[in-house]
Amino acid sequence: MTNVKKDYQKILGSVQKPVKGEAGKTGSWSSKKPVIDLDKCIPVKSGKFSCFNCWLYCPDAVITRTIPPTIDLEYCKGCGICTEECPVKAISMEEVKIDE
Amino acid sequence: MNNAMEDATILTGNNAAAHALRQVKVGVVAAYPITPQSPVVEKIAEFINEGKLNARFVKVESEHSALAVCVAASATGSRVGTATSAHGLELMYEMLPWTSGNRLPIIINLATRSLGAPWSVWTDHSDFITIRDVGWIQFMCEDNQEIYDTNLQAFKIAEDHRVNLPVIVGYDGYILSHTMMPVVLEDQKDVDDFLPPLKHHINLSDISQVKGIDPVTTPHTRDRGSEGRVPGYFEYRYALQKALENSIEIIQEVHDDFANKFGRSYGNGLFKTAEFDDADIIIFAMGSVASQARVVLNKLRDKGLKVGLVSLKLFRPYPAKQLRELLKDKKTIVVFDRDIGYGYEGVLCYELKSALYGLKESPFIKGFIVGLGGRDVTNEQLIEGVNRALNQQKTEEISQNTEFLGLKLEELNDYDEATFFKEVK
C-alpha cells in the first residue's frame, strides 16, 4: 500500500466552508422582492428579540436577526416564504422595477 | 471452501445481510419496508431492541428520505448501512448520485425485484441494472454465505482511503432473500480485526469548524480564500471515475485478504468461473441465473459440448480489462440476462460485447433474456439457448432480434385483451 496519493485521490467530496454569494448575485433571479412593514413587525413593535420567523425560515439566510430585521436584496431570490411565515402579515412582495 | 459447516447457522439471505450489518457495527440505519427486503431491517430492529447492536434506527416515510438520512448520518462520520428493493431503489435514485458524489461509504443491500408495471414482487435484475451509471460499486451474490461475506468486504472496500465509494450488494429476491441456507457467521473479534473502525474523510459532527458539503460548484476551478483554489464539477467527477477504475485493484486486494483470513473465496473477487479452462463455449450470467447454469454444465458436457461458466460478481466498476483477457480465446459466449435494456437488448450482453470490441478473433456473442418477473429459469431454457447460439454461429445468421427463452405465449391462444373485459360481466 502506497501512501503517496495520486492527483485524483486528493479530490473527494466537496467539503467547504460556507461563503457568501456562492453562485453569484442571486438577487438578480427575483421577479418580486419582499418589503417589511415595520409598523406591524413584532420585534420592532415590542422592542424585544422575538418572533423572527422570517429569519428562521429564509432558505437563503439573507434576513438578519436584528431589530428591525433587514433583507439583503443582492442575494434574496424572491421566493416569498417570509411573507407566508410572518404571523402578522408584515411582509409583502413587490414587483421588481427593471431600469430600461 | 468451507471447512466449518458444523458451525454454520441456518439463515435466509436477508438475515445473513442483517447479521453482517450487526457485526460491522453500523451506527445508523434508516430504511423503509419493501418486499422482499423488509426482513433485513426488521431483523436489525430486533438486534437493536435486544441490545445486540448499538445503532440508531431512523424511521422515515419513504426510501428517498431513508437514503437522505443515511447520507447525512454518513457525513457526520458514522458507519451506515441500509436495504431496499425494486421501486424502493428507484425512489432512492435521486439521492444515489449525491451519495457517490460526496464519496460516502454507505452500503445498500438490494434484494432484487422486477419493476412495475404490471405489479410484481418476484425477482429479476431490472432494479439492479438501472443504477449502473451513478457511481456506485455494485456486487451480485449467488448464495447466502456470499451475501454475508460480500457485506463484510463491501464496508472495507467502501471505507478504504483510496476508494471512498458507496457499495450496493445485490442478491435475488426470494431465491436468496427468503431461502434458508447454512451460513458461517464469523467471531466478532475476527470481524473487528478484518474491518478497522471507520476513519471518514468527512465528519460534520466536529462543530469546532464551520463547514458544509456541496456548495454550488461551478464549471470552472476557482479561488475560495483560505481554502485556496478548489475543483470545479469536472474535476470532482473525473476523480469519481478514476476512483471507480482504481477500486478494482482494491476490491481484489480486500477479497484476497478475506480469503486468507476466513478461508472462503469467490473467484478473483470480480467474477467466478466453473469448468472454464478447456471450455470453448462460455455461459455468461449473474446471480440466480449463474447458479442455475452451474447445474447444466455437466448435462451439456455429457453431450460432448465443452461448456464453462463465468458468473459476474462485480458489475460496477465493470471489470472490462480482466474479462477481455479472460475470454479472448473462447469461441462462443452465450449471455443470459435476467434483465433487459428496453429497446435494445440484455445489459450484460451488450456490455460484454463492448468489453471485447476490437479483439482480432472476437468470440461469437449471443444474448438471451430469461426469467423476468420471477419466471423460472430452467435447465431446458439454458440448454436451448446454448444450442440456438451454436446454430446461429454455424450458419452465420446472427439474429438481431432480442430473443426470450421461457415465454409461454402458446398458453394464451384464447386471450384477447380487447374482448376479455367485455365478456366478464
Side-chain angles (χ1 to χ4, degrees):
Chain A
M1 191 186 292
T2 169
N3 283 322
V4 182
K5 285 191 172 180
K6 294 167 188 158
D7 275 351
Y8 68 84
Q9 286 176 331
K10 294 174 191 160
I11 304 174
L12 293 169
S14 170
V15 182
Q16 290 164 12
K17 289 176 193 151
V19 173
K20 191 171 174 178
E22 200 68 64
K25 298 210 167 163
T26 47
S28 64
W29 299 6
S30 63
S31 60
K32 291 182 174 177
K33 61 176 181 181
V35 178
I36 307 177
D37 181 351
L38 297 182
D39 292 340
K40 291 184 187 166
C41 175
I42 292 170
V44 175
K45 274 172 72 179
S46 65
K48 290 175 181 165
F49 275 79
S50 54
C51 184
F52 291 120
N53 271 11
C54 53
W55 164 79
L56 181 63
Y57 283 97
C58 175
D60 270 309
V62 297
I63 304 182
T64 56
R65 192 168 169 273
T66 53
I67 303 173
T70 63
I71 301 174
D72 186 344
L73 294 175
E74 279 197 339
Y75 297 107
C76 168
K77 297 198 194 95
C79 68
I81 288 173
C82 53
T83 66
E84 288 294 319
E85 296 299 336
C86 178
V88 292
K89 303 285 169 215
I91 310 177
S92 55
M93 299 299 285
E94 290 184 0
E95 291 289 333
V96 174
K97 293 190 184 85
I98 298 165
D99 297 329
E100 291 295 325
Chain B
M1 290 257 293
N2 205 332
N3 52 11
M5 284 311 270
E6 64 269 26
D7 297 333
T9 314
I10 308 296
L11 291 175
T12 62
N14 281 336
N15 283 356
H19 278 282
L21 293 177
R22 171 179 65 79
Q23 290 200 290
V24 303
K25 297 176 180 166
V26 286
V28 176
V29 175
Y32 191 82
I34 184 166
T35 302
Q37 161 277 134
S38 305
V40 179
V41 287
E42 285 167 6
K43 195 72 186 170
I44 287 168
E46 263 178 53
F47 289 145
I48 294 171
N49 188 42
E50 292 165 355
K52 291 176 180 166
L53 174 63
N54 181 19
R56 175 72 75 88
F57 193 107
V58 185
K59 288 177 278 186
V60 286
E61 81 291 355
S62 75
E63 281 87 355
H64 184 274
S65 300
L67 193 53
V69 168
C70 289
V71 164
S74 181
T76 57
S78 186
R79 183 172 283 161
V80 181
T82 185
T84 192
S85 287
H87 291 268
L89 183 66
E90 302 307 305
L91 190 48
M92 282 180 176
Y93 197 101
E94 197 266 339
M95 291 305 300
L96 294 170
W98 291 99
T99 316
S100 53
N102 277 316
R103 309 292 294 279
L104 300 172
I106 294 170
I107 274 59
I108 294 181
N109 276 279
L110 181 79
T112 63
R113 165 180 158 181
S114 50
L115 298 175
W119 192 11
S120 162
V121 296
W122 290 272
T123 190
D124 66 35
H125 303 152
S126 303
D127 49 1
F128 185 78
I129 55 126
T130 56
I131 65 154
R132 66 190 182 277
D133 298 332
V134 295
W136 283 57
I137 293 172
Q138 293 182 258
F139 286 112
M140 184 63 86
C141 301
E142 265 189 83
D143 63 47
N144 294 357
Q145 184 71 58
E146 192 176 356
I147 297 171
Y148 173 80
D149 293 349
T150 307
N151 263 277
L152 300 189
Q153 292 173 34
F155 279 94
K156 185 152 179 163
I157 294 160
E159 294 171 5
D160 190 293
H161 69 95
R162 296 162 293 172
V163 179
N164 289 305
L165 286 168
V167 180
I168 194 150
V169 179
Y171 53 91
D172 278 80
Y174 294 110
I175 292 173
L176 296 185
S177 75
H178 283 63
T179 304
M180 295 188 124
M181 297 179 193
V183 177
V184 176
L185 299 178
E186 296 299 340
D187 286 345
Q188 186 60 50
K189 195 186 152 295
D190 294 333
V191 175
D192 292 343
D193 283 351
F194 177 72
L195 184 69
L198 169 62
K199 282 184 195 154
H200 211 320
H201 69 94
I202 300 182
N203 185 357
L204 297 185
S205 66
D206 173 10
I207 54 173
S208 64
Q209 285 180 296
V210 179
K211 58 191 174 183
I213 53 175
D214 296 328
V216 174
T217 301
T218 54
H220 307 291
T221 65
R222 61 182 165 159
D223 285 317
R224 282 179 61 97
S226 61
E227 288 168 24
R229 197 139 190 105
V230 299
Y233 181 91
F234 209 34
E235 284 75 25
Y236 281 114
R237 288 289 157 160
Y238 167 77
L240 176 60
Q241 166 68 9
K242 287 290 152 190
L244 273 161
E245 288 174 7
N246 192 45
S247 72
I248 290 185
E249 198 181 305
I250 292 126
I251 287 165
Q252 288 187 285
E253 188 182 301
V254 170
H255 170 267
D256 295 347
D257 280 359
F258 185 93
N260 286 335
K261 189 165 177 56
F262 297 112
R264 290 185 298 274
S265 61
Y266 299 92
N268 61 357
L270 315 177
F271 41 75
K272 295 157 275 181
T273 58
E275 307 279 343
F276 183 81
D277 292 342
D278 69 335
D280 302 323
I281 306 156
I282 296 298
I283 295 178
F284 187 87
M286 187 165 74
S288 56
V289 186
S291 306
Q292 191 67 35
R294 288 176 192 277
V295 182
V296 301
L297 292 182
N298 285 339
K299 291 179 190 296
L300 286 163
R301 280 186 174 252
D302 287 345
K303 291 180 187 166
L305 295 172
K306 284 188 179 173
V307 184
L309 170 73
V310 174
S311 167
L312 190 65
K313 177 173 173 62
L314 180 70
F315 178 66
R316 278 293 181 279
Y318 195 74
K321 208 171 86 184
Q322 290 80 1
L323 287 172
R324 196 178 162 92
E325 185 56 33
L326 180 79
L327 296 168
K328 64 181 189 322
D329 297 325
K330 299 301 178 188
K331 304 269 188 316
T332 313
I333 302 173
V334 193
V335 186
F336 293 100
D337 269 283
R338 202 165 196 160
D339 61 76
I340 178 166
Y342 284 100
Y344 193 21
E345 65 179 335
V347 172
L348 291 185
C349 183
Y350 71 69
E351 293 201 337
L352 188 66
K353 285 178 181 170
S354 152
L356 302 190
Y357 174 77
L359 283 177
K360 267 188 184 154
E361 288 187 30
S362 183
F364 176 87
I365 302 177
K366 174 67 194 174
F368 295 96
I369 309 297
V370 293
L372 298 184
R375 176 67 54 92
D376 286 338
V377 177
T378 63
N379 295 345
E380 291 71 31
Q381 288 164 23
L382 300 178
I383 291 166
E384 164 78 13
V386 170
N387 287 333
R388 262 201 232 178
L390 290 172
N391 281 339
Q392 289 187 18
Q393 185 175 17
K394 230 176 274 170
T395 56
E396 291 183 356
E397 272 184 35
I398 304 171
S399 167
Q400 294 300 327
N401 292 327
T402 310
E403 294 179 44
F404 286 56
L405 290 170
L407 278 178
K408 296 191 175 168
L409 294 172
E410 72 285 356
E411 292 180 5
L412 304 174
N413 48 5
D414 291 334
Y415 177 81
D416 179 356
E417 207 165 73
T419 57
F420 184 77
F421 291 101
K422 283 177 195 160
E423 287 165 12
V424 181
K425 277 193 179 158

Coordinates of all heavy atoms in Angstrom, one line a residue, chain B residues 16-26 53 79 145 148-156 159 184-198 254 257-258 261-262 264:
Chain B
A16 N -28.9 -13.1 6.7 CA -27.4 -13.1 6.5 C -26.9 -11.6 6.4 O -25.9 -11.2 7.0 CB -27.0 -13.9 5.3
A17 N -27.6 -10.9 5.6 CA -27.3 -9.4 5.4 C -27.4 -8.7 6.7 O -26.5 -7.9 7.1 CB -28.2 -8.8 4.3
A18 N -28.5 -9.0 7.5 CA -28.7 -8.3 8.7 C -27.6 -8.6 9.7 O -27.1 -7.7 10.5 CB -30.1 -8.6 9.3
H19 N -27.2 -9.9 9.8 CA -26.1 -10.2 10.7 C -24.8 -9.6 10.3 O -24.0 -9.2 11.2 CB -25.9 -11.8 10.7 CG -26.9 -12.5 11.6 ND1 -26.7 -12.5 13.0 CD2 -28.1 -13.1 11.4 CE1 -27.7 -13.2 13.5 NE2 -28.6 -13.6 12.6
A20 N -24.6 -9.4 9.0 CA -23.4 -8.7 8.6 C -23.4 -7.3 9.1 O -22.4 -6.7 9.6 CB -23.2 -8.8 7.1
L21 N -24.5 -6.6 8.9 CA -24.7 -5.2 9.4 C -24.5 -5.1 10.9 O -23.9 -4.1 11.4 CB -26.0 -4.6 8.9 CG -26.2 -4.4 7.4 CD1 -27.6 -3.9 7.1 CD2 -25.2 -3.5 6.8
R22 N -25.0 -6.1 11.6 CA -24.8 -6.1 13.1 C -23.3 -6.2 13.4 O -22.8 -5.5 14.2 CB -25.5 -7.3 13.7 CG -25.3 -7.5 15.1 CD -26.1 -8.7 15.7 NE -25.7 -10.0 15.1 CZ -24.7 -10.7 15.4 NH1 -23.8 -10.3 16.3 NH2 -24.4 -11.9 14.8
Q23 N -22.6 -7.1 12.7 CA -21.2 -7.4 13.1 C -20.3 -6.3 12.6 O -19.2 -6.2 13.2 CB -20.8 -8.8 12.5 CG -21.5 -9.9 13.2 CD -20.7 -11.2 13.1 OE1 -20.7 -11.8 12.0 NE2 -20.1 -11.7 14.1
V24 N -20.6 -5.5 11.6 CA -19.8 -4.4 11.2 C -20.1 -3.2 12.1 O -19.5 -2.2 12.0 CB -19.8 -4.0 9.7 CG1 -19.5 -5.2 8.8 CG2 -21.2 -3.4 9.4
K25 N -21.1 -3.4 13.0 CA -21.5 -2.3 13.9 C -21.9 -1.0 13.3 O -21.3 0.0 13.5 CB -20.3 -2.1 14.9 CG -20.0 -3.4 15.8 CD -18.8 -3.1 16.7 CE -18.5 -4.4 17.5 NZ -17.2 -4.3 18.1
V26 N -22.9 -1.1 12.4 CA -23.4 0.2 11.8 C -23.9 1.1 12.9 O -24.4 0.6 13.9 CB -24.5 -0.1 10.8 CG1 -23.9 -0.6 9.5 CG2 -25.6 -1.0 11.3
L53 N -27.1 -4.7 19.1 CA -26.5 -3.7 18.2 C -26.8 -2.3 18.7 O -27.9 -2.0 19.0 CB -27.1 -3.9 16.8 CG -26.7 -2.8 15.7 CD1 -25.2 -2.9 15.4 CD2 -27.5 -3.0 14.4
R79 N -20.8 4.9 10.5 CA -20.9 3.8 9.6 C -22.4 3.5 9.3 O -23.1 3.4 10.3 CB -20.2 2.6 10.1 CG -20.2 1.4 9.2 CD -19.3 0.3 9.7 NE -17.9 0.6 9.5 CZ -16.9 0.0 10.2 NH1 -17.1 -0.9 11.1 NH2 -15.6 0.3 10.0
Q145 N -24.1 -17.3 2.0 CA -22.8 -17.1 2.6 C -22.1 -15.9 1.9 O -21.5 -15.1 2.5 CB -22.0 -18.3 2.5 CG -20.6 -18.2 3.1 CD -20.7 -18.2 4.7 OE1 -21.2 -19.1 5.3 NE2 -20.2 -17.1 5.3
Y148 N -23.3 -12.5 3.1 CA -22.7 -12.2 4.4 C -21.2 -11.7 4.1 O -20.8 -10.6 4.5 CB -22.7 -13.4 5.3 CG -22.0 -13.2 6.6 CD1 -22.5 -12.5 7.7 CD2 -20.7 -13.8 6.8 CE1 -21.8 -12.4 8.9 CE2 -20.0 -13.7 7.9 CZ -20.5 -12.9 9.0 OH -19.8 -12.8 10.2
D149 N -20.5 -12.5 3.4 CA -19.1 -12.2 3.1 C -18.9 -11.0 2.3 O -18.0 -10.2 2.6 CB -18.5 -13.4 2.4 CG -18.4 -14.7 3.2 OD1 -18.6 -14.6 4.5 OD2 -18.1 -15.8 2.7
T150 N -19.8 -10.8 1.3 CA -19.7 -9.6 0.5 C -20.0 -8.3 1.3 O -19.4 -7.3 1.0 CB -20.6 -9.7 -0.8 OG1 -20.3 -10.9 -1.4 CG2 -20.4 -8.6 -1.7
N151 N -20.9 -8.4 2.2 CA -21.2 -7.2 3.0 C -19.9 -6.9 3.9 O -19.6 -5.7 4.0 CB -22.3 -7.5 4.0 CG -23.6 -7.0 3.5 OD1 -23.9 -5.8 3.6 ND2 -24.4 -7.8 2.8
L152 N -19.3 -7.8 4.5 CA -18.1 -7.5 5.3 C -17.0 -6.9 4.4 O -16.4 -5.9 4.8 CB -17.5 -8.8 5.9 CG -18.4 -9.6 6.9 CD1 -17.6 -10.7 7.6 CD2 -19.1 -8.7 7.9
Q153 N -16.9 -7.5 3.2 CA -15.9 -6.9 2.3 C -16.3 -5.5 1.8 O -15.4 -4.6 1.6 CB -15.7 -7.8 1.1 CG -15.0 -9.1 1.4 CD -15.0 -10.1 0.2 OE1 -14.9 -9.7 -0.9 NE2 -15.1 -11.4 0.5
A154 N -17.6 -5.3 1.6 CA -18.1 -4.1 1.0 C -17.7 -2.9 1.9 O -17.3 -1.8 1.4 CB -19.6 -4.1 0.8
F155 N -17.9 -3.1 3.2 CA -17.5 -1.9 4.1 C -16.0 -1.6 4.0 O -15.6 -0.5 4.0 CB -18.0 -2.3 5.5 CG -19.4 -2.0 5.8 CD1 -20.4 -3.0 5.6 CD2 -19.9 -0.7 6.1 CE1 -21.7 -2.8 5.8 CE2 -21.2 -0.5 6.3 CZ -22.2 -1.5 6.2
K156 N -15.2 -2.7 4.0 CA -13.8 -2.5 3.9 C -13.4 -1.8 2.6 O -12.5 -0.9 2.6 CB -13.1 -3.8 4.1 CG -11.6 -3.6 4.2 CD -10.9 -4.8 5.0 CE -9.4 -4.6 5.0 NZ -8.8 -5.4 6.1
E159 N -14.7 2.0 2.6 CA -14.1 2.9 3.6 C -12.5 3.0 3.3 O -11.9 3.8 4.0 CB -14.3 2.4 5.0 CG -15.8 2.4 5.4 CD -16.1 1.7 6.7 OE1 -15.1 1.3 7.4 OE2 -17.3 1.7 7.1
V184 N -21.9 -19.5 7.7 CA -21.0 -19.4 8.8 C -20.9 -17.9 9.2 O -20.5 -17.1 8.4 CB -19.6 -19.9 8.4 CG1 -18.6 -19.7 9.5 CG2 -19.7 -21.4 8.0
L185 N -21.3 -17.6 10.5 CA -21.1 -16.2 11.0 C -19.7 -16.2 11.7 O -19.5 -17.0 12.6 CB -22.2 -15.9 11.9 CG -23.6 -15.8 11.3 CD1 -24.7 -15.5 12.3 CD2 -23.7 -14.9 10.1
E186 N -18.9 -15.3 11.4 CA -17.5 -15.3 12.0 C -17.6 -14.7 13.4 O -18.5 -13.9 13.7 CB -16.6 -14.5 11.1 CG -16.4 -15.1 9.7 CD -15.8 -16.5 9.8 OE1 -15.1 -16.8 10.8 OE2 -15.9 -17.2 8.8
D187 N -16.5 -15.0 14.2 CA -16.4 -14.4 15.5 C -16.3 -12.9 15.4 O -15.7 -12.4 14.5 CB -15.2 -14.9 16.2 CG -15.4 -16.4 16.7 OD1 -16.5 -16.8 16.7 OD2 -14.4 -17.0 17.0
Q188 N -17.0 -12.2 16.4 CA -16.9 -10.8 16.3 C -15.5 -10.2 16.4 O -15.2 -9.3 15.7 CB -17.7 -10.2 17.5 CG -17.9 -8.7 17.5 CD -18.6 -8.2 16.3 OE1 -19.7 -8.8 16.0 NE2 -18.1 -7.3 15.6
K189 N -14.6 -10.9 17.1 CA -13.3 -10.4 17.2 C -12.6 -10.4 15.8 O -11.8 -9.5 15.5 CB -12.5 -11.3 18.2 CG -11.2 -10.7 18.7 CD -10.4 -11.7 19.5 CE -9.0 -11.5 19.5 NZ -8.4 -11.7 18.1
D190 N -12.8 -11.5 15.1 CA -12.2 -11.6 13.8 C -12.8 -10.6 12.8 O -12.0 -10.1 12.0 CB -12.4 -13.0 13.2 CG -11.7 -14.1 14.0 OD1 -10.7 -13.7 14.6 OD2 -12.2 -15.3 14.0
V191 N -14.1 -10.3 12.9 CA -14.7 -9.3 12.1 C -14.1 -7.9 12.4 O -13.7 -7.1 11.5 CB -16.2 -9.3 12.2 CG1 -16.8 -8.1 11.4 CG2 -16.8 -10.6 11.8
D192 N -13.9 -7.7 13.7 CA -13.3 -6.4 14.1 C -11.8 -6.3 13.6 O -11.4 -5.2 13.2 CB -13.3 -6.3 15.7 CG -14.7 -6.1 16.2 OD1 -15.6 -5.8 15.4 OD2 -14.9 -6.3 17.4
D193 N -11.1 -7.4 13.6 CA -9.7 -7.4 13.1 C -9.7 -7.1 11.6 O -8.9 -6.3 11.1 CB -9.1 -8.8 13.3 CG -8.6 -8.9 14.7 OD1 -8.7 -8.0 15.5 OD2 -8.2 -10.1 15.0
F194 N -10.7 -7.7 10.9 CA -10.7 -7.5 9.5 C -11.2 -6.1 9.1 O -10.6 -5.5 8.1 CB -11.7 -8.5 8.9 CG -11.9 -8.4 7.4 CD1 -10.9 -8.8 6.5 CD2 -13.1 -7.9 6.9 CE1 -11.1 -8.7 5.1 CE2 -13.3 -7.8 5.5 CZ -12.3 -8.2 4.6
L195 N -12.1 -5.6 9.8 CA -12.7 -4.2 9.5 C -12.4 -3.2 10.6 O -13.1 -3.2 11.6 CB -14.2 -4.4 9.3 CG -14.9 -3.1 8.8 CD1 -14.5 -2.7 7.4 CD2 -16.4 -3.3 8.9
P196 N -11.3 -2.4 10.4 CA -11.0 -1.4 11.4 C -12.1 -0.4 11.5 O -12.9 -0.2 10.6 CB -9.6 -0.9 11.0 CG -9.6 -1.2 9.5 CD -10.4 -2.4 9.3
P197 N -12.1 0.4 12.6 CA -13.1 1.5 12.7 C -13.0 2.5 11.6 O -11.9 2.7 11.0 CB -12.7 2.1 14.1 CG -11.9 1.2 14.8 CD -11.2 0.3 13.8
L198 N -14.1 3.0 11.2 CA -14.2 4.0 10.1 C -13.4 5.3 10.4 O -13.6 5.9 11.5 CB -15.7 4.3 9.9 CG -16.0 5.5 8.9 CD1 -15.5 5.2 7.5 CD2 -17.5 5.7 8.9
V254 N -8.9 -6.7 -1.1 CA -9.8 -7.0 0.0 C -10.3 -8.4 0.0 O -10.4 -9.1 1.0 CB -10.9 -6.0 0.1 CG1 -12.0 -6.4 1.2 CG2 -10.4 -4.6 0.4
D257 N -7.5 -10.7 1.0 CA -7.4 -10.6 2.5 C -8.4 -11.4 3.2 O -8.1 -12.2 4.1 CB -7.6 -9.2 2.9 CG -6.3 -8.3 2.7 OD1 -5.3 -8.9 2.2 OD2 -6.3 -7.1 3.0
F258 N -9.6 -11.3 2.7 CA -10.8 -12.0 3.3 C -10.6 -13.5 3.2 O -10.8 -14.3 4.1 CB -12.1 -11.6 2.6 CG -13.3 -12.2 3.2 CD1 -14.0 -11.5 4.2 CD2 -13.8 -13.4 2.8 CE1 -15.1 -12.0 4.8 CE2 -14.9 -14.0 3.4 CZ -15.6 -13.3 4.4
K261 N -8.0 -14.8 5.5 CA -8.4 -14.7 7.0 C -9.5 -15.8 7.3 O -9.5 -16.4 8.3 CB -8.9 -13.3 7.3 CG -9.1 -13.1 8.8 CD -9.2 -11.6 9.1 CE -9.4 -11.4 10.6 NZ -8.5 -12.0 11.5
F262 N -10.5 -15.8 6.4 CA -11.7 -16.6 6.7 C -11.8 -17.9 5.9 O -12.7 -18.7 6.1 CB -12.9 -15.8 6.5 CG -13.0 -14.6 7.4 CD1 -12.9 -13.3 6.9 CD2 -13.2 -14.8 8.8 CE1 -13.0 -12.2 7.8 CE2 -13.2 -13.7 9.7 CZ -13.1 -12.4 9.2
R264 N -12.7 -18.4 2.7 CA -13.7 -18.5 1.7 C -13.4 -17.5 0.6 O -13.1 -16.4 0.9 CB -15.1 -18.2 2.2 CG -15.6 -19.3 3.2 CD -17.1 -18.9 3.6 NE -17.2 -17.7 4.3 CZ -17.0 -17.5 5.6 NH1 -16.7 -18.6 6.4 NH2 -17.1 -16.4 6.2

